[in-house]
Amino acid sequence: MRLRKNNKAGEVLRKSRYVIDNPGEYKGKWHEVFDNANDIHIEIGMGKGKFIIENAIKYPNINFIGIEKYDTVLMLALKKLNNLELSNLKIICIDAKELESVFDHEIAQIYLNFSDPWPKNRHHKRRLTSHDYLKVYDNVFKNDNVIVQKTDNQVLFGYSIESLSTYGYTLKNVSLDLHNSKYKEDNITTEYEEKFIQRGQPIFCLTATMTNRE
Amino acid sequence: MRLRKNNKAGEVLRKSRYVIDNPGEYKGKWHEVFDNANDIHIEIGMGKGKFIIENAIKYPNINFIGIEKYDTVLMLALKKLNNLELSNLKIICIDAKELESVFDHEIAQIYLNFSDPWPKNRHHKRRLTSHDYLKVYDNVFKNDNVIVQKTDNQVLFGYSIESLSTYGYTLKNVSLDLHNSKYKEDNITTEYEEKFIQRGQPIFCLTATMTNRE
């Protein structure tokens, strides 16, 4: 779960004020990190960071935690943060499987943007909306569960609708063409999404909500 | 609700053994029409009839009722039925709004194939998956509610996912490209759908289920 010690990315990240190197130590205590009681939103797979950085700027009264398993990708996010002072943004370098060892019923919202679609059916459990992952999220959410998903992949989107619905989530804010829908107005794009817009390819989106079962 | 008296289509339809001219008289008694206790499936908007006729042939132990509001379209369906003896198929010429005056908790499954998308937002209540129509279907379904939908229209599909889910339905068998999915195998196409396949355009599908609330 910690950053690698023997590579340059690990070294650079460890020095950043945005990166939390020992996230497991804050399990159940993330409000202490931000020093306020505001809602915490996490993005699983923040990549180069455009989405979560722009969210943190736009919504100063929400705390954001970006999650990314590849430290080399996070280097690119840190470049964007160089000249920004954002007290409501932190970054951690873990795999989504480790979420439960980092968060304990303290997250208000999860963003899944352009997650790996794992298009082969035999890999469906690796998709971030599989029931295996939804079970993990149950232990991460504070009150009601809220998952906001965007993807360009029709296999992942169809799978997610079914998986979320059969798990007990209610689906709303659904569009099969976000950028020609009413949801465009408030949408903050990712780097990947910008490329798709330029090509005129449709983006799918949904918001899934569920009253916490526990 | 009855066939028009002063046009040719009305006359022809009234003479067909497939067409029930006075469907309201069988409300709560449709099993008498088929003379068995098999499940009854209805297609709302059967159009030229390919889908429901092929279903009736393939599934002799299910009773099918095709519903269509335009009598001139039904003329084309009757042509296909000329040389067929299907005891498990009936046709009625009514508007979907009138379903409650024709059926009373006796339907097992509803098919919505390529329904009018009513693309303008101000017309959304006219879509056959609006909450207004879902309320009507509650009085039509016998036990669990089952709605099977196909469409090529992304606005209608996104709307339907949200409307069905927020109403309490669970969504499964979801695909954003039916003809490149595992659902292709058992799929019976409509006339309209055949045109879309030829053009290579994707067809969206879902099955929505809900335990009857009453």
Side-chain angles (χ1 to χ4, degrees):
Chain A
M1 178 174 355
R2 280 167 174 265
L3 293 164
R4 285 183 283 170
K5 287 209 169 138
N6 300 319
N7 75 340
K8 194 188 162 197
E11 270 178 44
V12 173
L13 291 170
R14 212 172 294 115
K15 285 178 190 160
S16 166
R17 64 188 179 284
Y18 287 105
V19 179
I20 305 284
D21 185 22
N22 48 351
E25 290 180 22
Y26 298 98
K27 183 175 173 176
K29 298 182 282 190
W30 280 92
H31 282 299
E32 293 178 15
V33 173
F34 293 105
D35 201 21
N36 63 46
N38 294 343
D39 278 352
I40 302 174
H41 293 194
I42 64 175
E43 182 186 13
I44 304 177
M46 65 171 277
K48 299 176 191 169
K50 178 178 183 294
F51 176 85
I52 200 155
I53 294 168
E54 291 183 17
N55 267 281
I57 294 166
K58 187 172 177 183
Y59 302 105
N61 294 325
I62 298 173
N63 299 317
F64 292 91
I65 301 173
I67 294 163
E68 175 58 52
K69 64 179 167 185
Y70 299 113
D71 52 10
T72 47
V73 176
L74 283 180
M75 294 279 281
L76 302 168
L78 285 193
K79 277 190 186 170
K80 292 183 182 153
L81 285 164
N82 262 345
N83 300 314
L84 293 168
E85 288 286 344
L86 296 169
S87 61
N88 63 330
L89 174 63
K90 295 296 173 193
I91 291 170
I92 60 183
C93 188
I94 60 166
D95 191 283
K97 287 177 200 155
E98 300 172 280
L99 281 169
E100 280 172 305
S101 57
V102 171
F103 300 111
D104 181 18
H105 297 91
E106 51 200 320
I107 301 304
Q109 201 156 306
I110 293 179
Y111 299 100
L112 302 176
N113 292 320
F114 304 93
S115 311
D116 192 331
W118 292 104
K120 287 180 182 162
N121 196 45
R122 69 174 185 275
H123 291 147
H124 75 90
K125 286 191 174 188
R126 300 184 192 178
R127 297 173 189 155
L128 288 178
T129 47
S130 72
H131 283 199
D132 285 2
Y133 276 108
L134 296 183
K135 277 177 204 156
V136 169
Y137 306 156
D138 281 347
N139 293 321
V140 163
F141 280 117
K142 187 178 181 182
N143 297 314
D144 290 351
N145 297 15
V146 183
I147 297 173
V148 180
Q149 183 180 32
K150 289 196 281 189
T151 179
D152 61 296
N153 187 281
Q154 54 96 348
V155 170
L156 178 64
F157 196 62
Y159 173 86
S160 297
I161 290 165
E162 186 165 338
S163 183
L164 288 160
S165 182
T166 55
Y167 196 78
Y169 279 87
T170 299
L171 308 176
K172 52 185 189 175
N173 301 354
V174 179
S175 175
L176 279 73
D177 192 3
L178 192 168
H179 291 277
N180 288 303
S181 78
K182 61 185 172 184
Y183 306 116
K184 184 186 175 184
E185 201 178 328
D186 292 327
N187 183 56
I188 292 177
T189 60
T190 73
E191 289 86 352
Y192 190 81
E193 189 173 357
E194 288 289 335
K195 289 185 192 169
F196 273 81
I197 297 168
Q198 284 169 14
R199 292 185 209 150
Q201 286 180 272
I203 303 299
F204 312 128
C205 69
L206 62 78
T207 298
T209 61
M210 185 172 71
T211 303
N212 203 304
R213 305 175 193 214
E214 297 193 333
Chain B
M1 178 174 2
R2 282 164 173 266
L3 293 163
R4 285 183 285 171
K5 288 211 166 133
N6 300 319
N7 73 340
K8 195 186 163 201
E11 270 179 44
V12 172
L13 291 170
R14 213 171 294 112
K15 285 178 187 161
S16 166
R17 65 190 179 285
Y18 287 104
V19 180
I20 305 285
D21 185 21
N22 47 351
E25 290 181 22
Y26 297 99
K27 183 176 175 177
K29 298 182 283 189
W30 281 91
H31 282 299
E32 292 178 15
V33 173
F34 293 105
D35 202 20
N36 63 45
N38 294 342
D39 277 353
I40 302 173
H41 293 192
I42 65 175
E43 183 187 12
I44 304 177
M46 64 171 278
K48 298 175 190 170
K50 179 178 182 295
F51 176 85
I52 201 156
I53 293 168
E54 290 183 19
N55 267 282
I57 293 167
K58 187 173 177 183
Y59 302 106
N61 294 323
I62 298 172
N63 299 316
F64 291 91
I65 301 173
I67 294 163
E68 175 57 52
K69 66 179 165 185
Y70 299 113
D71 54 10
T72 47
V73 176
L74 283 180
M75 294 280 282
L76 301 168
L78 285 191
K79 276 190 186 170
K80 292 182 182 155
L81 285 164
N82 261 345
N83 299 313
L84 292 169
E85 288 287 345
L86 296 170
S87 60
N88 63 330
L89 175 63
K90 295 296 174 194
I91 291 169
I92 59 182
C93 187
I94 60 166
D95 191 283
K97 286 178 203 156
E98 300 172 281
L99 281 170
E100 280 172 305
S101 57
V102 170
F103 300 112
D104 181 16
H105 297 92
E106 52 199 321
I107 300 304
Q109 202 156 304
I110 292 177
Y111 299 100
L112 301 176
N113 292 319
F114 303 93
S115 311
D116 192 330
W118 291 104
K120 286 180 184 161
N121 196 47
R122 69 173 185 275
H123 290 146
H124 76 90
K125 286 192 173 187
R126 299 184 191 179
R127 297 173 190 157
L128 288 178
T129 47
S130 72
H131 283 198
D132 284 2
Y133 275 108
L134 297 182
K135 277 178 205 157
V136 170
Y137 305 157
D138 281 347
N139 293 322
V140 162
F141 280 117
K142 187 179 182 183
N143 297 313
D144 290 350
N145 297 15
V146 182
I147 297 173
V148 180
Q149 183 180 34
K150 291 195 281 190
T151 179
D152 61 295
N153 187 283
Q154 55 95 349
V155 171
L156 178 63
F157 196 62
Y159 173 86
S160 297
I161 289 166
E162 186 164 337
S163 182
L164 288 160
S165 183
T166 55
Y167 196 76
Y169 279 86
T170 299
L171 307 176
K172 52 184 189 177
N173 302 352
V174 179
S175 176
L176 279 72
D177 192 4
L178 192 167
H179 292 277
N180 288 302
S181 79
K182 62 185 173 185
Y183 307 115
K184 184 187 175 182
E185 201 178 328
D186 292 327
N187 183 56
I188 292 176
T189 59
T190 74
E191 289 86 351
Y192 190 80
E193 190 173 358
E194 288 289 336
K195 288 185 193 170
F196 273 82
I197 297 168
Q198 284 168 15
R199 291 184 210 153
Q201 286 180 272
I203 303 299
F204 312 127
C205 69
L206 62 80
T207 298
T209 62
M210 185 173 71
T211 303
N212 203 305
R213 306 174 193 216
E214 298 194 330

